[in-house]
Amino acid sequence: MALHVYGVVAAMTPLPEDLRGRQQAPLRLIVHGDLAAVVSEVDANSRARRDDLLAHARVLETLVEGSTVLPMRFGVIVETDEGVAEDILAAGESGLTSLLNSFNGLVQLTVKANHNEEVALKDLLRERPEIRSLRDQTAGRSASYQSQLKLGEAVAAGLEALASADAAMLKEELSRLAERVVLQDVSGTNQVLDAALLVKREARTSTDEGIARLSRAVPDRLRLRYVGPQPPYSFVDAELAGEPVWA
Amino acid sequence: MSVTQRAPNRYLERPAPSSLADVIDTILDKGLVIDIYVRVSLVGIEILTIDARIVIASVDTYLRFAEAVNRLDLTETETQGIPELMEDISRGGSKRKTEGALEAVKEKVADVFSRDDEEEEEEEEDYQNEDEDRSRNSGRRQAQPAKKSTSRPRRES
C-alpha cells in the first residue's frame, strides 16, 4: 500500500467522518508541527479511474467548505507516513505555512463562459452591417467559393472580437466580486472566459448573489457555468510559478 | 416568458461541484507538485493530456461559418431588435445539443491509464465512450497528436 496525498491543511483541521477518499478509503491526517497532509491508503499500482479523479476533487472541495486547504495536484503518491511527514511537510514547512496563511479564509470559485453560437451569429449580423452585406452577396447557390471563404473569415474574426469584448466585460464584473481574479487560457470558437475567483469564505453568499445577478444581466449569447467552492488550485499554481515553495 | 428565458442560467444561484471535465482542467494541471513523488505515481499511472484543437483559421471553419450565417433567418435578424426574442429559436434544443455546437478550441481530454492491462477493459471502454462523445460533439475539431504531459518543472534543483 501507499498513500495518496490530497492536500495540506493546518494540523488541527477536523476531517468530516463520512468523507471518504479514493476507492472509498478512509482519510487521515499525517501531522508534522502545525501542518498536516490529508491522505488515504491506495494500492501503489492501482490505476486512476475517473472515480479516483472525482474523489480527489470531492475530498478537497468538502474540506475547503470549512478549512483552508492547499491542494496537491492529482497523482502525488508517497510510500510511507514518514515520507509524507519529511519530504512534503518538513521539507516544505515554511513555504506551506506561509501559503496556508495567505489563503486563510479564502476559497476559489470558477466561472466559465461560452457563446451560444447561433445567438452570437445573430448578434454579429445585427451589429455588423458589413458582415451582413457579405452574407447577402453569398446568399444564392451561385456564390463563389472565394466569397464564401471571405464571409466565413469575416464571421470568424467577428466572433473572436465579440468573445474578447465579452471576456473583458465579464472580467471587470467578476473583479468586483472577488479578492483576486485569474484568467485561465481559452483559445477558441465559442469559448469566452475561464476565470478563477478567490473569494472570502464568509462572503460566499454575496458572491453567489453577484454571480446570479451577472448571469441574468449578460447578453443571451453568453452561457455561464459556476463551479465551486474549490481549494485555491489556480492561485497556488500562480504562487508556485512565481516562487518555488520547496527545494 | 422571462422565466423560461433565463432557465439555462438558473443553476447559477449556487455554484456546482466540479464535473469530470472541470476536474480534468484543474487537478491534473494545477495544485502543488513534488516532482519526485509525481514520478513515483507515474510508475503505475500515465497521464496523457491531449490538446484537441479546432483549427479556427482554416478553410473548413470559414466554410462552416459561412454556411451557418447563410442559414440564419434574414427577416428575423432584421426585424427583431431585441436579443431576447432571438432566443426562442435556440431554446428548443436540448442542453446537450446546444453544448455540442458550442465547442471550445482548447479542450483537454485527459486519458488516464496504467500500463498494466489487467482488469482495465471496462475503464478503457469508459474513456473511449467519452472520447467518442467529445468528437461527436466537436464538429470539425482536429485532434493533434497526443502529447505526454510530464510533471512541469517547477524549479531548478
Side-chain angles (χ1 to χ4, degrees), chain A residues 191-213:
Chain A
Q191 200 173 0
V192 173
L193 177 95
D194 183 347
L197 282 63
L198 194 63
V199 171
K200 286 182 181 152
R201 191 179 287 108
E202 62 208 28
R204 276 278 311 284
T205 311
S206 68
T207 309
D208 291 353
E209 286 165 7
I211 301 289
R213 263 199 311 278

PDB file of all heavy atoms in Angstrom, chain A residues 191-213:
ATOM      1  N   GLN A 191     -15.635  29.739 -26.946  1.00  0.00           N
ATOM      2  CA  GLN A 191     -15.175  29.746 -25.572  1.00  0.00           C
ATOM      3  C   GLN A 191     -14.755  31.174 -25.241  1.00  0.00           C
ATOM      4  O   GLN A 191     -13.936  31.773 -25.941  1.00  0.00           O
ATOM      5  CB  GLN A 191     -14.002  28.783 -25.399  1.00  0.00           C
ATOM      6  CG  GLN A 191     -13.801  28.394 -23.952  1.00  0.00           C
ATOM      7  CD  GLN A 191     -12.745  27.321 -23.819  1.00  0.00           C
ATOM      8  OE1 GLN A 191     -12.166  26.865 -24.792  1.00  0.00           O
ATOM      9  NE2 GLN A 191     -12.475  26.931 -22.578  1.00  0.00           N
ATOM     10  N   VAL A 192     -15.347  31.715 -24.223  1.00  0.00           N
ATOM     11  CA  VAL A 192     -15.173  33.138 -23.961  1.00  0.00           C
ATOM     12  C   VAL A 192     -14.251  33.403 -22.772  1.00  0.00           C
ATOM     13  O   VAL A 192     -13.361  34.246 -22.836  1.00  0.00           O
ATOM     14  CB  VAL A 192     -16.552  33.803 -23.720  1.00  0.00           C
ATOM     15  CG1 VAL A 192     -16.399  35.255 -23.280  1.00  0.00           C
ATOM     16  CG2 VAL A 192     -17.402  33.718 -24.980  1.00  0.00           C
ATOM     17  N   LEU A 193     -14.464  32.673 -21.693  1.00  0.00           N
ATOM     18  CA  LEU A 193     -13.758  33.026 -20.468  1.00  0.00           C
ATOM     19  C   LEU A 193     -13.684  31.836 -19.532  1.00  0.00           C
ATOM     20  O   LEU A 193     -14.612  31.038 -19.442  1.00  0.00           O
ATOM     21  CB  LEU A 193     -14.517  34.171 -19.780  1.00  0.00           C
ATOM     22  CG  LEU A 193     -13.994  34.655 -18.434  1.00  0.00           C
ATOM     23  CD1 LEU A 193     -13.071  35.852 -18.640  1.00  0.00           C
ATOM     24  CD2 LEU A 193     -15.135  35.046 -17.510  1.00  0.00           C
ATOM     25  N   ASP A 194     -12.552  31.722 -18.836  1.00  0.00           N
ATOM     26  CA  ASP A 194     -12.423  30.744 -17.759  1.00  0.00           C
ATOM     27  C   ASP A 194     -11.708  31.497 -16.635  1.00  0.00           C
ATOM     28  O   ASP A 194     -10.520  31.739 -16.702  1.00  0.00           O
ATOM     29  CB  ASP A 194     -11.603  29.539 -18.233  1.00  0.00           C
ATOM     30  CG  ASP A 194     -11.495  28.451 -17.161  1.00  0.00           C
ATOM     31  OD1 ASP A 194     -11.840  28.715 -15.986  1.00  0.00           O
ATOM     32  OD2 ASP A 194     -11.053  27.338 -17.506  1.00  0.00           O
ATOM     33  N   ALA A 195     -12.484  31.894 -15.652  1.00  0.00           N
ATOM     34  CA  ALA A 195     -11.936  32.770 -14.612  1.00  0.00           C
ATOM     35  C   ALA A 195     -11.998  32.102 -13.256  1.00  0.00           C
ATOM     36  O   ALA A 195     -13.019  31.547 -12.871  1.00  0.00           O
ATOM     37  CB  ALA A 195     -12.719  34.086 -14.582  1.00  0.00           C
ATOM     38  N   ALA A 196     -10.875  32.122 -12.549  1.00  0.00           N
ATOM     39  CA  ALA A 196     -10.842  31.643 -11.172  1.00  0.00           C
ATOM     40  C   ALA A 196     -10.945  32.849 -10.252  1.00  0.00           C
ATOM     41  O   ALA A 196     -10.189  33.816 -10.400  1.00  0.00           O
ATOM     42  CB  ALA A 196      -9.560  30.872 -10.913  1.00  0.00           C
ATOM     43  N   LEU A 197     -11.897  32.789  -9.326  1.00  0.00           N
ATOM     44  CA  LEU A 197     -12.095  33.882  -8.373  1.00  0.00           C
ATOM     45  C   LEU A 197     -11.645  33.432  -6.995  1.00  0.00           C
ATOM     46  O   LEU A 197     -12.005  32.353  -6.541  1.00  0.00           O
ATOM     47  CB  LEU A 197     -13.584  34.258  -8.281  1.00  0.00           C
ATOM     48  CG  LEU A 197     -14.223  35.101  -9.372  1.00  0.00           C
ATOM     49  CD1 LEU A 197     -14.192  34.376 -10.712  1.00  0.00           C
ATOM     50  CD2 LEU A 197     -15.648  35.466  -8.990  1.00  0.00           C
ATOM     51  N   LEU A 198     -10.874  34.258  -6.352  1.00  0.00           N
ATOM     52  CA  LEU A 198     -10.507  33.998  -4.966  1.00  0.00           C
ATOM     53  C   LEU A 198     -11.433  34.847  -4.093  1.00  0.00           C
ATOM     54  O   LEU A 198     -11.490  36.072  -4.241  1.00  0.00           O
ATOM     55  CB  LEU A 198      -9.045  34.363  -4.733  1.00  0.00           C
ATOM     56  CG  LEU A 198      -8.399  33.847  -3.450  1.00  0.00           C
ATOM     57  CD1 LEU A 198      -8.357  32.323  -3.432  1.00  0.00           C
ATOM     58  CD2 LEU A 198      -6.992  34.411  -3.294  1.00  0.00           C
ATOM     59  N   VAL A 199     -12.179  34.165  -3.219  1.00  0.00           N
ATOM     60  CA  VAL A 199     -13.273  34.822  -2.510  1.00  0.00           C
ATOM     61  C   VAL A 199     -13.208  34.473  -1.032  1.00  0.00           C
ATOM     62  O   VAL A 199     -12.851  33.354  -0.668  1.00  0.00           O
ATOM     63  CB  VAL A 199     -14.627  34.329  -3.106  1.00  0.00           C
ATOM     64  CG1 VAL A 199     -15.792  34.815  -2.274  1.00  0.00           C
ATOM     65  CG2 VAL A 199     -14.771  34.792  -4.547  1.00  0.00           C
ATOM     66  N   LYS A 200     -13.560  35.420  -0.176  1.00  0.00           N
ATOM     67  CA  LYS A 200     -13.635  35.113   1.247  1.00  0.00           C
ATOM     68  C   LYS A 200     -14.772  34.139   1.505  1.00  0.00           C
ATOM     69  O   LYS A 200     -15.875  34.314   0.994  1.00  0.00           O
ATOM     70  CB  LYS A 200     -13.875  36.400   2.045  1.00  0.00           C
ATOM     71  CG  LYS A 200     -12.654  37.275   2.135  1.00  0.00           C
ATOM     72  CD  LYS A 200     -12.939  38.517   2.979  1.00  0.00           C
ATOM     73  CE  LYS A 200     -11.702  39.393   3.033  1.00  0.00           C
ATOM     74  NZ  LYS A 200     -12.040  40.820   3.214  1.00  0.00           N
ATOM     75  N   ARG A 201     -14.477  33.126   2.309  1.00  0.00           N
ATOM     76  CA  ARG A 201     -15.496  32.115   2.573  1.00  0.00           C
ATOM     77  C   ARG A 201     -16.764  32.752   3.124  1.00  0.00           C
ATOM     78  O   ARG A 201     -17.868  32.400   2.750  1.00  0.00           O
ATOM     79  CB  ARG A 201     -14.945  31.065   3.536  1.00  0.00           C
ATOM     80  CG  ARG A 201     -15.818  29.826   3.664  1.00  0.00           C
ATOM     81  CD  ARG A 201     -15.236  28.798   4.610  1.00  0.00           C
ATOM     82  NE  ARG A 201     -14.079  28.116   4.053  1.00  0.00           N
ATOM     83  CZ  ARG A 201     -12.828  28.309   4.453  1.00  0.00           C
ATOM     84  NH1 ARG A 201     -12.554  29.147   5.417  1.00  0.00           N
ATOM     85  NH2 ARG A 201     -11.836  27.651   3.892  1.00  0.00           N
ATOM     86  N   GLU A 202     -16.570  33.721   4.005  1.00  0.00           N
ATOM     87  CA  GLU A 202     -17.741  34.321   4.639  1.00  0.00           C
ATOM     88  C   GLU A 202     -18.519  35.242   3.689  1.00  0.00           C
ATOM     89  O   GLU A 202     -19.637  35.623   3.971  1.00  0.00           O
ATOM     90  CB  GLU A 202     -17.322  35.101   5.883  1.00  0.00           C
ATOM     91  CG  GLU A 202     -16.382  36.245   5.572  1.00  0.00           C
ATOM     92  CD  GLU A 202     -15.455  36.552   6.753  1.00  0.00           C
ATOM     93  OE1 GLU A 202     -15.167  35.628   7.530  1.00  0.00           O
ATOM     94  OE2 GLU A 202     -15.043  37.708   6.885  1.00  0.00           O
ATOM     95  N   ALA A 203     -17.899  35.565   2.555  1.00  0.00           N
ATOM     96  CA  ALA A 203     -18.586  36.428   1.587  1.00  0.00           C
ATOM     97  C   ALA A 203     -19.271  35.627   0.494  1.00  0.00           C
ATOM     98  O   ALA A 203     -19.753  36.186  -0.488  1.00  0.00           O
ATOM     99  CB  ALA A 203     -17.591  37.402   0.962  1.00  0.00           C
ATOM    100  N   ARG A 204     -19.289  34.304   0.686  1.00  0.00           N
ATOM    101  CA  ARG A 204     -19.831  33.430  -0.350  1.00  0.00           C
ATOM    102  C   ARG A 204     -21.248  33.806  -0.787  1.00  0.00           C
ATOM    103  O   ARG A 204     -21.561  33.827  -1.971  1.00  0.00           O
ATOM    104  CB  ARG A 204     -19.815  31.980   0.127  1.00  0.00           C
ATOM    105  CG  ARG A 204     -18.495  31.271  -0.066  1.00  0.00           C
ATOM    106  CD  ARG A 204     -18.377  30.755  -1.483  1.00  0.00           C
ATOM    107  NE  ARG A 204     -19.579  30.031  -1.864  1.00  0.00           N
ATOM    108  CZ  ARG A 204     -19.887  28.809  -1.462  1.00  0.00           C
ATOM    109  NH1 ARG A 204     -19.074  28.163  -0.677  1.00  0.00           N
ATOM    110  NH2 ARG A 204     -21.008  28.234  -1.850  1.00  0.00           N
ATOM    111  N   THR A 205     -22.113  34.091   0.185  1.00  0.00           N
ATOM    112  CA  THR A 205     -23.496  34.375  -0.168  1.00  0.00           C
ATOM    113  C   THR A 205     -23.597  35.579  -1.096  1.00  0.00           C
ATOM    114  O   THR A 205     -24.286  35.536  -2.115  1.00  0.00           O
ATOM    115  CB  THR A 205     -24.335  34.646   1.099  1.00  0.00           C
ATOM    116  OG1 THR A 205     -24.070  33.587   2.012  1.00  0.00           O
ATOM    117  CG2 THR A 205     -25.811  34.685   0.781  1.00  0.00           C
ATOM    118  N   SER A 206     -22.845  36.611  -0.776  1.00  0.00           N
ATOM    119  CA  SER A 206     -22.944  37.793  -1.630  1.00  0.00           C
ATOM    120  C   SER A 206     -22.282  37.534  -2.978  1.00  0.00           C
ATOM    121  O   SER A 206     -22.701  38.084  -4.002  1.00  0.00           O
ATOM    122  CB  SER A 206     -22.355  39.021  -0.936  1.00  0.00           C
ATOM    123  OG  SER A 206     -20.965  38.865  -0.808  1.00  0.00           O
ATOM    124  N   THR A 207     -21.265  36.678  -2.991  1.00  0.00           N
ATOM    125  CA  THR A 207     -20.675  36.316  -4.286  1.00  0.00           C
ATOM    126  C   THR A 207     -21.687  35.556  -5.131  1.00  0.00           C
ATOM    127  O   THR A 207     -21.865  35.839  -6.318  1.00  0.00           O
ATOM    128  CB  THR A 207     -19.421  35.439  -4.093  1.00  0.00           C
ATOM    129  OG1 THR A 207     -18.557  36.068  -3.160  1.00  0.00           O
ATOM    130  CG2 THR A 207     -18.692  35.247  -5.409  1.00  0.00           C
ATOM    131  N   ASP A 208     -22.361  34.575  -4.500  1.00  0.00           N
ATOM    132  CA  ASP A 208     -23.386  33.813  -5.222  1.00  0.00           C
ATOM    133  C   ASP A 208     -24.441  34.756  -5.811  1.00  0.00           C
ATOM    134  O   ASP A 208     -24.845  34.624  -6.961  1.00  0.00           O
ATOM    135  CB  ASP A 208     -24.067  32.797  -4.296  1.00  0.00           C
ATOM    136  CG  ASP A 208     -23.134  31.658  -3.887  1.00  0.00           C
ATOM    137  OD1 ASP A 208     -22.013  31.598  -4.424  1.00  0.00           O
ATOM    138  OD2 ASP A 208     -23.542  30.844  -3.042  1.00  0.00           O
ATOM    139  N   GLU A 209     -24.856  35.691  -4.997  1.00  0.00           N
ATOM    140  CA  GLU A 209     -25.869  36.639  -5.474  1.00  0.00           C
ATOM    141  C   GLU A 209     -25.328  37.467  -6.629  1.00  0.00           C
ATOM    142  O   GLU A 209     -26.030  37.727  -7.607  1.00  0.00           O
ATOM    143  CB  GLU A 209     -26.308  37.562  -4.331  1.00  0.00           C
ATOM    144  CG  GLU A 209     -27.210  36.860  -3.337  1.00  0.00           C
ATOM    145  CD  GLU A 209     -27.360  37.656  -2.021  1.00  0.00           C
ATOM    146  OE1 GLU A 209     -26.853  38.812  -1.953  1.00  0.00           O
ATOM    147  OE2 GLU A 209     -27.960  37.109  -1.084  1.00  0.00           O
ATOM    148  N   GLY A 210     -24.069  37.875  -6.495  1.00  0.00           N
ATOM    149  CA  GLY A 210     -23.449  38.669  -7.555  1.00  0.00           C
ATOM    150  C   GLY A 210     -23.364  37.904  -8.866  1.00  0.00           C
ATOM    151  O   GLY A 210     -23.651  38.442  -9.938  1.00  0.00           O
ATOM    152  N   ILE A 211     -22.986  36.622  -8.778  1.00  0.00           N
ATOM    153  CA  ILE A 211     -22.890  35.804  -9.998  1.00  0.00           C
ATOM    154  C   ILE A 211     -24.278  35.591 -10.597  1.00  0.00           C
ATOM    155  O   ILE A 211     -24.453  35.640 -11.817  1.00  0.00           O
ATOM    156  CB  ILE A 211     -22.239  34.433  -9.689  1.00  0.00           C
ATOM    157  CG1 ILE A 211     -20.838  34.607  -9.091  1.00  0.00           C
ATOM    158  CG2 ILE A 211     -22.182  33.563 -10.947  1.00  0.00           C
ATOM    159  CD1 ILE A 211     -19.786  35.078 -10.034  1.00  0.00           C
ATOM    160  N   ALA A 212     -25.251  35.356  -9.728  1.00  0.00           N
ATOM    161  CA  ALA A 212     -26.622  35.159 -10.225  1.00  0.00           C
ATOM    162  C   ALA A 212     -27.102  36.424 -10.945  1.00  0.00           C
ATOM    163  O   ALA A 212     -27.694  36.347 -12.027  1.00  0.00           O
ATOM    164  CB  ALA A 212     -27.558  34.794  -9.068  1.00  0.00           C
ATOM    165  N   ARG A 213     -26.818  37.576 -10.337  1.00  0.00           N
ATOM    166  CA  ARG A 213     -27.207  38.847 -10.983  1.00  0.00           C
ATOM    167  C   ARG A 213     -26.516  38.988 -12.328  1.00  0.00           C
ATOM    168  O   ARG A 213     -27.138  39.337 -13.326  1.00  0.00           O
ATOM    169  CB  ARG A 213     -26.802  40.029 -10.100  1.00  0.00           C
ATOM    170  CG  ARG A 213     -27.911  40.582  -9.228  1.00  0.00           C
ATOM    171  CD  ARG A 213     -27.581  41.997  -8.746  1.00  0.00           C
ATOM    172  NE  ARG A 213     -26.243  42.133  -8.182  1.00  0.00           N
ATOM    173  CZ  ARG A 213     -25.925  41.799  -6.930  1.00  0.00           C
ATOM    174  NH1 ARG A 213     -26.840  41.316  -6.114  1.00  0.00           N
ATOM    175  NH2 ARG A 213     -24.691  41.950  -6.486  1.00  0.00           N
TER     176      ARG A 213
END
